[in-house]
mmCIF file of all heavy atoms in Angstrom:
data_model
loop_
_atom_site.group_PDB
_atom_site.id
_atom_site.type_symbol
_atom_site.label_atom_id
_atom_site.label_comp_id
_atom_site.label_asym_id
_atom_site.label_seq_id
_atom_site.Cartn_x
_atom_site.Cartn_y
_atom_site.Cartn_z
ATOM 1 N N ILE J 1 20.555 -153.999 42.288
ATOM 2 C CA ILE J 1 20.345 -155.256 41.706
ATOM 3 C C ILE J 1 19.600 -156.128 42.737
ATOM 4 O O ILE J 1 20.253 -156.424 43.790
ATOM 5 C CB ILE J 1 21.626 -155.914 41.213
ATOM 6 C CG1 ILE J 1 22.259 -155.113 40.106
ATOM 7 C CG2 ILE J 1 21.395 -157.305 40.605
ATOM 8 C CD1 ILE J 1 23.775 -155.466 39.753
ATOM 9 N N ARG J 2 18.363 -156.650 42.469
ATOM 10 C CA ARG J 2 17.695 -157.395 43.430
ATOM 11 C C ARG J 2 17.938 -158.830 43.434
ATOM 12 O O ARG J 2 17.903 -159.419 44.469
ATOM 13 C CB ARG J 2 16.124 -157.175 43.178
ATOM 14 C CG ARG J 2 15.616 -155.561 43.349
ATOM 15 C CD ARG J 2 15.679 -155.207 44.808
ATOM 16 N NE ARG J 2 15.077 -156.093 45.693
ATOM 17 C CZ ARG J 2 15.236 -156.204 47.038
ATOM 18 N NH1 ARG J 2 16.072 -155.283 47.462
ATOM 19 N NH2 ARG J 2 14.566 -156.999 47.733
ATOM 20 N N ARG J 3 18.113 -159.415 42.327
ATOM 21 C CA ARG J 3 18.036 -160.876 42.080
ATOM 22 C C ARG J 3 19.462 -161.461 42.322
ATOM 23 O O ARG J 3 20.424 -161.108 41.751
ATOM 24 C CB ARG J 3 17.485 -161.181 40.677
ATOM 25 C CG ARG J 3 17.100 -162.784 40.493
ATOM 26 C CD ARG J 3 15.956 -162.987 41.260
ATOM 27 N NE ARG J 3 15.352 -164.344 40.965
ATOM 28 C CZ ARG J 3 15.621 -165.393 41.735
ATOM 29 N NH1 ARG J 3 16.165 -165.225 42.891
ATOM 30 N NH2 ARG J 3 15.058 -166.576 41.346
ATOM 31 N N TYR J 4 19.597 -162.404 43.198
ATOM 32 C CA TYR J 4 21.013 -163.040 43.585
ATOM 33 C C TYR J 4 20.607 -164.549 43.788
ATOM 34 O O TYR J 4 19.833 -164.958 44.746
ATOM 35 C CB TYR J 4 21.318 -162.359 44.957
ATOM 36 C CG TYR J 4 22.754 -162.626 45.344
ATOM 37 C CD1 TYR J 4 23.581 -161.672 45.638
ATOM 38 C CD2 TYR J 4 23.200 -163.994 45.555
ATOM 39 C CE1 TYR J 4 24.937 -161.824 46.076
ATOM 40 C CE2 TYR J 4 24.410 -164.255 46.030
ATOM 41 C CZ TYR J 4 25.383 -163.210 46.246
ATOM 42 O OH TYR J 4 26.695 -163.386 46.759
ATOM 43 N N LEU J 5 21.321 -165.289 43.091
ATOM 44 C CA LEU J 5 21.306 -166.793 43.232
ATOM 45 C C LEU J 5 22.627 -167.254 43.799
ATOM 46 O O LEU J 5 23.771 -166.702 43.343
ATOM 47 C CB LEU J 5 21.077 -167.428 41.799
ATOM 48 C CG LEU J 5 19.654 -167.696 41.338
ATOM 49 C CD1 LEU J 5 18.987 -166.410 41.219
ATOM 50 C CD2 LEU J 5 19.811 -168.421 39.992
ATOM 51 N N MET J 6 22.593 -167.982 44.751
ATOM 52 C CA MET J 6 23.661 -168.629 45.419
ATOM 53 C C MET J 6 23.839 -170.146 45.181
ATOM 54 O O MET J 6 22.872 -170.927 45.361
ATOM 55 C CB MET J 6 23.593 -168.455 46.891
ATOM 56 C CG MET J 6 24.712 -168.988 47.882
ATOM 57 S SD MET J 6 26.067 -167.984 47.860
ATOM 58 C CE MET J 6 25.636 -166.800 48.973
ATOM 59 N N VAL J 7 25.025 -170.454 44.732
ATOM 60 C CA VAL J 7 25.275 -171.994 44.585
ATOM 61 C C VAL J 7 25.986 -172.426 46.010
ATOM 62 O O VAL J 7 27.042 -172.097 46.251
ATOM 63 C CB VAL J 7 26.243 -172.240 43.491
ATOM 64 C CG1 VAL J 7 26.574 -173.755 43.296
ATOM 65 C CG2 VAL J 7 25.652 -171.755 42.137
ATOM 66 N N SER J 8 25.070 -173.171 46.716
ATOM 67 C CA SER J 8 25.708 -173.530 47.918
ATOM 68 C C SER J 8 25.881 -175.072 47.912
ATOM 69 O O SER J 8 26.421 -175.447 47.008
ATOM 70 C CB SER J 8 24.487 -173.260 49.093
ATOM 71 O OG SER J 8 24.962 -173.616 50.354
ATOM 72 N N ALA J 9 25.639 -175.775 49.078
ATOM 73 C CA ALA J 9 25.956 -177.292 49.114
ATOM 74 C C ALA J 9 25.063 -177.861 50.102
ATOM 75 O O ALA J 9 24.831 -177.330 51.120
ATOM 76 C CB ALA J 9 27.436 -177.503 49.295
ATOM 77 N N MET J 10 24.621 -179.146 49.834
ATOM 78 C CA MET J 10 23.762 -179.834 50.800
ATOM 79 C C MET J 10 24.374 -180.049 52.136
ATOM 80 O O MET J 10 23.696 -180.046 53.197
ATOM 81 C CB MET J 10 23.429 -181.236 50.170
ATOM 82 C CG MET J 10 22.333 -181.159 49.153
ATOM 83 S SD MET J 10 21.793 -182.704 48.618
ATOM 84 C CE MET J 10 20.940 -183.317 50.011
ATOM 85 N N GLY J 11 25.771 -179.971 52.200
ATOM 86 C CA GLY J 11 26.370 -180.204 53.527
ATOM 87 C C GLY J 11 26.440 -179.106 54.543
ATOM 88 O O GLY J 11 26.897 -179.268 55.692
ATOM 89 N N VAL J 12 25.761 -178.044 54.149
ATOM 90 C CA VAL J 12 25.839 -176.859 55.011
ATOM 91 C C VAL J 12 25.119 -176.925 56.338
ATOM 92 O O VAL J 12 25.244 -176.402 57.275
ATOM 93 C CB VAL J 12 25.554 -175.465 54.471
ATOM 94 C CG1 VAL J 12 26.316 -175.274 53.166
ATOM 95 C CG2 VAL J 12 23.954 -175.595 53.938
ATOM 96 N N ARG J 13 24.085 -177.881 56.300
ATOM 97 C CA ARG J 13 23.226 -177.966 57.428
ATOM 98 C C ARG J 13 23.901 -178.521 58.626
ATOM 99 O O ARG J 13 23.649 -178.224 59.779
ATOM 100 C CB ARG J 13 22.147 -179.060 57.114
ATOM 101 C CG ARG J 13 21.002 -178.303 56.395
ATOM 102 C CD ARG J 13 19.689 -179.156 56.441
ATOM 103 N NE ARG J 13 18.619 -178.490 55.823
ATOM 104 C CZ ARG J 13 18.459 -178.603 54.499
ATOM 105 N NH1 ARG J 13 19.201 -179.420 53.721
ATOM 106 N NH2 ARG J 13 17.478 -178.059 53.900
ATOM 107 N N ASP J 14 25.062 -179.350 58.459
ATOM 108 C CA ASP J 14 25.748 -179.862 59.602
ATOM 109 C C ASP J 14 27.296 -179.822 59.281
ATOM 110 O O ASP J 14 27.878 -180.993 58.987
ATOM 111 C CB ASP J 14 25.322 -181.235 59.972
ATOM 112 C CG ASP J 14 25.881 -181.727 61.216
ATOM 113 O OD1 ASP J 14 26.594 -180.997 61.868
ATOM 114 O OD2 ASP J 14 25.645 -182.889 61.603
ATOM 115 N N PRO J 15 27.896 -178.696 59.304
ATOM 116 C CA PRO J 15 29.316 -178.655 58.800
ATOM 117 C C PRO J 15 30.258 -179.650 59.629
ATOM 118 O O PRO J 15 31.168 -180.331 59.068
ATOM 119 C CB PRO J 15 29.830 -177.241 59.099
ATOM 120 C CG PRO J 15 28.472 -176.506 59.063
ATOM 121 C CD PRO J 15 27.420 -177.450 59.578
ATOM 122 N N ALA J 16 29.977 -179.775 60.995
ATOM 123 C CA ALA J 16 30.845 -180.633 61.676
ATOM 124 C C ALA J 16 30.867 -182.146 61.293
ATOM 125 O O ALA J 16 31.783 -182.834 61.454
ATOM 126 C CB ALA J 16 30.377 -180.549 63.220
ATOM 127 N N ALA J 17 29.614 -182.493 60.689
ATOM 128 C CA ALA J 17 29.625 -183.917 60.288
ATOM 129 C C ALA J 17 30.384 -184.185 58.930
ATOM 130 O O ALA J 17 30.524 -185.295 58.577
ATOM 131 C CB ALA J 17 28.199 -184.234 59.988
ATOM 132 N N ARG J 18 30.995 -183.141 58.459
ATOM 133 C CA ARG J 18 31.852 -183.395 57.199
ATOM 134 C C ARG J 18 33.309 -183.635 57.398
ATOM 135 O O ARG J 18 34.099 -183.726 56.475
ATOM 136 C CB ARG J 18 31.696 -182.261 56.305
ATOM 137 C CG ARG J 18 30.081 -181.878 55.814
ATOM 138 C CD ARG J 18 29.623 -183.035 55.020
ATOM 139 N NE ARG J 18 28.133 -182.975 55.008
ATOM 140 C CZ ARG J 18 27.536 -183.658 53.970
ATOM 141 N NH1 ARG J 18 28.181 -184.248 53.074
ATOM 142 N NH2 ARG J 18 26.192 -183.693 53.891
ATOM 143 N N GLY J 19 33.725 -183.636 58.692
ATOM 144 C CA GLY J 19 34.993 -183.865 59.047
ATOM 145 C C GLY J 19 35.847 -182.608 59.144
ATOM 146 O O GLY J 19 35.538 -181.549 58.597
ATOM 147 N N PRO J 20 37.025 -182.730 59.737
ATOM 148 C CA PRO J 20 37.856 -181.331 60.045
ATOM 149 C C PRO J 20 38.297 -180.753 58.752
ATOM 150 O O PRO J 20 38.446 -179.476 58.777
ATOM 151 C CB PRO J 20 38.954 -181.996 60.996
ATOM 152 C CG PRO J 20 39.010 -183.354 60.787
ATOM 153 C CD PRO J 20 37.675 -183.787 60.372
ATOM 154 N N GLU J 21 38.603 -181.578 57.790
ATOM 155 C CA GLU J 21 39.191 -180.958 56.560
ATOM 156 C C GLU J 21 38.042 -180.001 55.798
ATOM 157 O O GLU J 21 38.474 -179.115 55.281
ATOM 158 C CB GLU J 21 39.692 -182.094 55.698
ATOM 159 C CG GLU J 21 40.469 -181.423 54.409
ATOM 160 C CD GLU J 21 41.136 -182.599 53.610
ATOM 161 O OE1 GLU J 21 41.291 -183.786 54.117
ATOM 162 O OE2 GLU J 21 41.374 -182.366 52.343
ATOM 163 N N MET J 22 36.886 -180.717 55.670
ATOM 164 C CA MET J 22 35.778 -179.982 54.949
ATOM 165 C C MET J 22 35.070 -178.901 55.702
ATOM 166 O O MET J 22 34.303 -178.167 55.236
ATOM 167 C CB MET J 22 34.812 -181.025 54.378
ATOM 168 C CG MET J 22 35.562 -181.778 53.276
ATOM 169 S SD MET J 22 36.146 -180.859 51.901
ATOM 170 C CE MET J 22 34.681 -180.000 51.290
ATOM 171 N N ARG J 23 35.136 -178.986 57.086
ATOM 172 C CA ARG J 23 34.280 -178.262 57.891
ATOM 173 C C ARG J 23 34.376 -176.756 57.689
ATOM 174 O O ARG J 23 33.335 -176.021 57.500
ATOM 175 C CB ARG J 23 34.515 -178.495 59.397
ATOM 176 C CG ARG J 23 33.787 -177.729 60.358
ATOM 177 C CD ARG J 23 33.917 -178.168 61.840
ATOM 178 N NE ARG J 23 33.115 -177.359 62.729
ATOM 179 C CZ ARG J 23 32.833 -177.694 63.972
ATOM 180 N NH1 ARG J 23 33.390 -178.727 64.506
ATOM 181 N NH2 ARG J 23 32.092 -176.967 64.729
ATOM 182 N N PRO J 24 35.673 -176.097 57.459
ATOM 183 C CA PRO J 24 35.729 -174.758 57.186
ATOM 184 C C PRO J 24 34.959 -174.320 55.931
ATOM 185 O O PRO J 24 34.372 -173.234 55.776
ATOM 186 C CB PRO J 24 37.248 -174.479 57.006
ATOM 187 C CG PRO J 24 37.779 -175.589 57.753
ATOM 188 C CD PRO J 24 37.030 -176.843 57.545
ATOM 189 N N TYR J 25 35.043 -175.085 54.979
ATOM 190 C CA TYR J 25 34.246 -174.839 53.702
ATOM 191 C C TYR J 25 32.740 -174.838 53.960
ATOM 192 O O TYR J 25 32.100 -173.810 53.548
ATOM 193 C CB TYR J 25 34.564 -175.946 52.673
ATOM 194 C CG TYR J 25 33.550 -175.965 51.488
ATOM 195 C CD1 TYR J 25 33.680 -174.901 50.509
ATOM 196 C CD2 TYR J 25 32.634 -176.967 51.419
ATOM 197 C CE1 TYR J 25 32.884 -174.827 49.429
ATOM 198 C CE2 TYR J 25 31.764 -176.809 50.196
ATOM 199 C CZ TYR J 25 31.806 -175.945 49.267
ATOM 200 O OH TYR J 25 31.003 -175.737 48.279
ATOM 201 N N TYR J 26 32.166 -175.904 54.655
ATOM 202 C CA TYR J 26 30.787 -175.766 54.872
ATOM 203 C C TYR J 26 30.363 -174.741 55.850
ATOM 204 O O TYR J 26 29.237 -174.177 55.728
ATOM 205 C CB TYR J 26 30.416 -177.152 55.357
ATOM 206 C CG TYR J 26 30.284 -178.188 54.163
ATOM 207 C CD1 TYR J 26 31.290 -179.254 54.154
ATOM 208 C CD2 TYR J 26 29.327 -178.144 53.148
ATOM 209 C CE1 TYR J 26 31.378 -180.084 53.128
ATOM 210 C CE2 TYR J 26 29.366 -179.173 52.185
ATOM 211 C CZ TYR J 26 30.193 -180.084 52.169
ATOM 212 O OH TYR J 26 30.252 -180.921 51.098
ATOM 213 N N GLU J 27 31.192 -174.391 56.714
ATOM 214 C CA GLU J 27 30.863 -173.276 57.697
ATOM 215 C C GLU J 27 30.782 -171.964 56.918
ATOM 216 O O GLU J 27 29.861 -171.171 57.211
ATOM 217 C CB GLU J 27 31.921 -173.260 58.819
ATOM 218 C CG GLU J 27 31.664 -174.343 59.780
ATOM 219 C CD GLU J 27 32.801 -174.291 61.007
ATOM 220 O OE1 GLU J 27 33.875 -173.698 60.644
ATOM 221 O OE2 GLU J 27 32.552 -174.878 61.974
ATOM 222 N N ALA J 28 31.845 -171.830 55.940
ATOM 223 C CA ALA J 28 31.807 -170.599 55.217
ATOM 224 C C ALA J 28 30.598 -170.363 54.336
ATOM 225 O O ALA J 28 30.019 -169.408 54.213
ATOM 226 C CB ALA J 28 33.178 -170.482 54.325
ATOM 227 N N LYS J 29 30.283 -171.528 53.695
ATOM 228 C CA LYS J 29 29.087 -171.529 52.815
ATOM 229 C C LYS J 29 27.806 -171.297 53.645
ATOM 230 O O LYS J 29 26.869 -170.672 53.257
ATOM 231 C CB LYS J 29 28.947 -172.780 52.155
ATOM 232 C CG LYS J 29 30.027 -173.212 51.090
ATOM 233 C CD LYS J 29 30.099 -172.198 50.011
ATOM 234 C CE LYS J 29 28.886 -172.161 49.069
ATOM 235 N NZ LYS J 29 29.025 -171.252 48.044
ATOM 236 N N LEU J 30 27.577 -171.829 54.858
ATOM 237 C CA LEU J 30 26.548 -171.596 55.657
ATOM 238 C C LEU J 30 26.406 -170.210 56.080
ATOM 239 O O LEU J 30 25.269 -169.590 55.987
ATOM 240 C CB LEU J 30 26.506 -172.475 56.953
ATOM 241 C CG LEU J 30 25.518 -172.355 57.913
ATOM 242 C CD1 LEU J 30 24.144 -172.515 57.403
ATOM 243 C CD2 LEU J 30 25.765 -173.240 59.149
ATOM 244 N N GLU J 31 27.460 -169.643 56.405
ATOM 245 C CA GLU J 31 27.429 -168.131 56.802
ATOM 246 C C GLU J 31 27.081 -167.262 55.632
ATOM 247 O O GLU J 31 26.330 -166.247 55.677
ATOM 248 C CB GLU J 31 28.816 -167.777 57.342
ATOM 249 C CG GLU J 31 29.151 -168.393 58.711
ATOM 250 C CD GLU J 31 30.433 -167.817 59.217
ATOM 251 O OE1 GLU J 31 30.802 -166.717 58.909
ATOM 252 O OE2 GLU J 31 31.149 -168.531 60.039
ATOM 253 N N ALA J 32 27.523 -167.621 54.310
ATOM 254 C CA ALA J 32 27.210 -166.834 53.308
ATOM 255 C C ALA J 32 25.636 -167.124 52.927
ATOM 256 O O ALA J 32 25.047 -166.080 52.622
ATOM 257 C CB ALA J 32 27.992 -167.333 51.982
ATOM 258 N N ASP J 33 25.197 -168.228 53.167
ATOM 259 C CA ASP J 33 23.789 -168.393 52.936
ATOM 260 C C ASP J 33 22.874 -167.696 53.843
ATOM 261 O O ASP J 33 21.922 -167.011 53.406
ATOM 262 C CB ASP J 33 23.344 -169.984 53.034
ATOM 263 C CG ASP J 33 23.886 -170.765 51.982
ATOM 264 O OD1 ASP J 33 24.523 -170.353 51.014
ATOM 265 O OD2 ASP J 33 23.886 -172.056 52.067
ATOM 266 N N GLU J 34 23.350 -167.560 55.112
ATOM 267 C CA GLU J 34 22.623 -166.845 56.099
ATOM 268 C C GLU J 34 22.582 -165.250 55.909
ATOM 269 O O GLU J 34 21.714 -164.668 56.064
ATOM 270 C CB GLU J 34 23.120 -167.176 57.495
ATOM 271 C CG GLU J 34 22.882 -168.627 57.923
ATOM 272 C CD GLU J 34 23.490 -168.972 59.287
ATOM 273 O OE1 GLU J 34 24.511 -168.362 59.583
ATOM 274 O OE2 GLU J 34 23.176 -170.018 59.893
ATOM 275 N N ALA J 35 23.803 -164.795 55.353
ATOM 276 C CA ALA J 35 23.917 -163.482 54.966
ATOM 277 C C ALA J 35 22.988 -163.015 53.883
ATOM 278 O O ALA J 35 22.365 -162.099 53.814
ATOM 279 C CB ALA J 35 25.329 -163.191 54.670
ATOM 280 N N LEU J 36 22.956 -163.960 52.841
ATOM 281 C CA LEU J 36 22.059 -163.686 51.799
ATOM 282 C C LEU J 36 20.558 -163.770 52.118
ATOM 283 O O LEU J 36 19.800 -162.824 51.710
ATOM 284 C CB LEU J 36 22.304 -164.661 50.637
ATOM 285 C CG LEU J 36 21.471 -164.534 49.376
ATOM 286 C CD1 LEU J 36 21.624 -163.024 48.764
ATOM 287 C CD2 LEU J 36 21.792 -165.592 48.334
#
């Protein structure tokens, strides 16, 4: 299957800027985007 759409989030560019509570989420999303 070639076609893959990812629902990411605008905050992935700077996970640290989102605060300690949200940082793990944005870091995980960023890594997923990079893997795709």
Side-chain angles (χ1 to χ4, degrees):
I1 299 169
R2 298 289 311 161
R3 196 72 173 100
Y4 191 126
L5 271 61
M6 176 79 80
V7 181
S8 184
M10 282 182 66
V12 299
R13 281 201 177 84
D14 188 4
R18 301 292 165 161
E21 184 175 343
M22 291 301 297
R23 181 171 181 169
Y25 166 74
Y26 287 107
E27 288 179 337
K29 294 300 290 182
L30 176 60
E31 290 183 29
D33 291 356
E34 291 174 342
L36 179 57

